[in-house]
Amino acid sequence: MSAGPTWISHFPDNFVWSNATLVTKGMAPYGAVALGEIDEVCERLRPRQAEPDAWAEEWSALGRRLEAIAEAAATEGREMTAGNYYLRAGMYYFTAERFIPPGDAKRELGRRALACQHAGLRRRHPNVEFVEVPYEGTTLPALFMRAPGAPGRAPTVVVFDGMDNCKEMSVLFAGLELAARGMHTLAIDGPGQGESLRLRGLSARHDYEVPGAAAWEHVAGRPDVDPDRIVVMGYSFGGYYAARIAAFERRYAAGVAFAALHWDLAGWQREVQRRHARDPRTTAQSTFHFRWVMGCPDMDAAIDKARQFSLADVAGRITCPFLVVHAEDDRVVPVESARRLYEALGSTRKRLRILTAADGSTYHAQADNRQVGVDYIADWIEETLGSRQAPR
């Protein structure tokens, strides 16, 4: 008999829904969601867990309700209030889209989520610039959050998403803290991520040093960025991307894996496929998400492509300072993957930080308490770059 629901495991026998709910809850400290609204939806969902369309229906209904309030506020000139409602509506639409299979409906809901999130960001965070990063004959969409009052050329952190996140999330949970410390943030949707995947059809690639180089060149060319103090960070699946970029794009001053990726991604996805066959509720992924990110017609092809996503012969090439942050009780990526990455790193300035319940966070990529992970990372970046500000 399973335990009852908790804040982290809202649906005790349904890990895929619990994980998705926690990712949404994790945005509450940044004003992008409200816990009361989330609880309202989850209580309606609790008796509907056997209904395939229930998840999208309930989250979309909340998104539409808040979007209507935002539009009314904007019409009346209450722009800041409109911004708050737009931000939350956008995040709920993004949550709703998560379990819709690839196709027109998914694309349209993804477009609507982005439209609301952007309407909210423009009103609430005027220090965010909407930029396009040149990349292989096209561009990658990104958000540049300036650190208000940063003197001269400031350090900058380039943040790549995870497999099921977006730049509109990372610009808040990472960018706000970094900006408070005098660092700019470029939150970018690389191939297989966020807007690049949903609206531009760019699938994931293993050689992420290509988009990584594009991001470096974009920020290094800005007059407000110090090109000698640019750091690359990736969270969740992005932990692989950040390590790969640091290995081959040597212009970055340092790198951060905010959660390591599975050391054997193809092997792990084979296990996910077996678990899906038994009970799709037991994994953190939907049955289609990974193949969609990989741009493959089926899971067998996606697993075959996943063999290229390995750091086994790559991590040793990393020579810049590199930090790995991981949760001790991570149920999505076992902590052993973080230890293996740390041991394989070629850098002489490397650090592994395993966060525990005593630190206030035990979940994958600190979705249960993002601030714990972000604070540790920001401290390390300041220490590494020698940019820590004197106490005020």
Side-chain angles (χ1 to χ4, degrees):
M1 185 173 179
S2 63
T6 66
W7 186 80
I8 290 176
S9 183
H10 206 113
F11 303 95
D13 297 315
N14 193 337
F15 184 38
V16 67
W17 275 22
S18 287
N19 177 70
T21 301
L22 183 59
V23 169
T24 305
K25 289 177 179 178
M27 295 304 297
Y30 316 102
V33 299
L35 294 179
E37 292 165 350
I38 293 172
D39 190 60
E40 174 190 334
V41 171
C42 289
E43 288 310 300
R44 289 202 299 268
L45 282 171
R46 197 181 300 283
R48 301 189 64 190
Q49 293 181 61
E51 300 176 41
D53 298 327
W55 180 272
E57 288 174 358
E58 296 291 359
W59 287 106
S60 293
L62 177 57
R64 287 192 300 271
R65 191 177 88 203
L66 299 190
E67 184 182 11
I69 297 172
E71 289 172 348
T75 299
E76 296 167 4
R78 296 181 288 114
E79 294 292 348
M80 296 300 279
T81 295
N84 279 329
Y85 279 94
Y86 274 128
L87 271 179
R88 302 206 308 276
M91 191 64 216
Y92 298 142
Y93 281 140
F94 187 77
T95 301
E97 181 256 20
R98 189 183 185 106
F99 297 131
I100 297 177
D104 291 342
K106 189 177 189 70
R107 189 178 304 106
E108 174 55 26
L109 196 53
R111 183 202 62 76
R112 196 165 182 178
L114 285 161
C116 286
Q117 287 171 316
H118 292 181
L121 286 170
R122 285 190 170 95
R123 288 168 170 83
R124 298 298 309 186
H125 299 284
N127 60 322
V128 171
E129 298 176 26
F130 291 73
V131 300
E132 295 287 338
V133 175
Y135 164 78
E136 295 199 330
T138 183
T139 58
L140 298 173
L143 302 170
F144 186 88
M145 177 175 276
R146 290 176 287 104
R153 291 177 174 263
T156 300
V157 182
V158 173
V159 183
F160 284 97
D161 315 323
M163 188 167 65
D164 45 14
N165 310 106
C166 58
K167 65 186 180 301
E168 290 73 22
M169 297 169 68
S170 51
V171 78
L172 294 177
F173 76 69
L176 288 173
E177 183 61 37
L178 294 170
R181 297 170 183 243
M183 292 180 272
H184 305 313
T185 300
L186 182 79
I188 181 168
D189 287 336
Q193 301 178 328
E195 185 178 353
S196 293
L197 173 65
R198 285 160 176 80
L199 302 189
R200 307 188 186 191
L202 298 176
S203 302
R205 57 188 295 171
H206 75 283
D207 54 342
Y208 235 69
E209 62 271 21
V210 179
W216 188 93
E217 289 166 2
H218 175 81
V219 294
R222 292 180 59 106
D224 51 358
V225 169
D226 182 348
D228 294 326
R229 293 187 293 170
I230 301 174
V231 177
V232 64
M233 180 177 94
Y235 60 101
S236 190
F237 199 106
Y240 163 80
Y241 293 139
R244 174 84 194 197
I245 291 167
F248 292 99
E249 180 43 78
R250 301 297 180 89
R251 290 176 291 184
Y252 282 99
V256 179
F258 191 2
L261 186 63
H262 299 279
W263 194 251
D264 179 4
L265 180 61
W268 175 251
Q269 286 300 320
R270 280 192 294 271
E271 174 60 23
V272 169
Q273 193 174 31
R274 285 192 290 270
R275 290 165 66 183
H276 276 159
R278 294 195 301 269
D279 184 351
R281 300 175 304 170
T282 61
T283 78
Q285 296 173 205
S286 68
T287 55
F288 56 78
H289 192 82
F290 185 70
R291 64 174 173 81
W292 176 55
V293 168
M294 289 289 166
C296 295
D298 53 52
M299 275 298 292
D300 288 339
I303 290 171
D304 187 59
K305 184 175 179 178
R307 292 190 178 92
Q308 301 175 83
F309 289 69
S310 173
L311 295 174
D313 299 319
V314 171
R317 299 172 61 108
I318 297 173
T319 57
C320 68
F322 202 90
L323 170 67
V324 182
V325 175
H326 208 88
E328 183 179 49
D329 299 323
D330 194 323
R331 291 180 60 193
V332 179
V333 179
V335 68
E336 182 56 31
S337 290
R339 295 193 175 103
R340 291 189 69 173
L341 172 57
Y342 171 76
E343 290 298 329
L345 291 172
S347 175
T348 57
R349 296 180 63 190
K350 60 183 181 179
R351 187 181 299 178
L352 173 64
R353 182 69 167 97
I354 305 298
L355 293 168
T356 69
D359 298 306
S361 175
T362 63
Y363 204 83
H364 177 65
Q366 277 56 67
D368 57 340
N369 191 349
R370 286 263 200 231
Q371 197 65 41
V372 169
V374 172
D375 279 344
Y376 189 88
I377 290 166
D379 286 345
W380 181 85
I381 292 174
E382 289 180 316
E383 173 190 327
T384 300
L385 299 183
S387 60
R388 182 166 295 165
Q389 298 178 4
R392 288 178 290 184

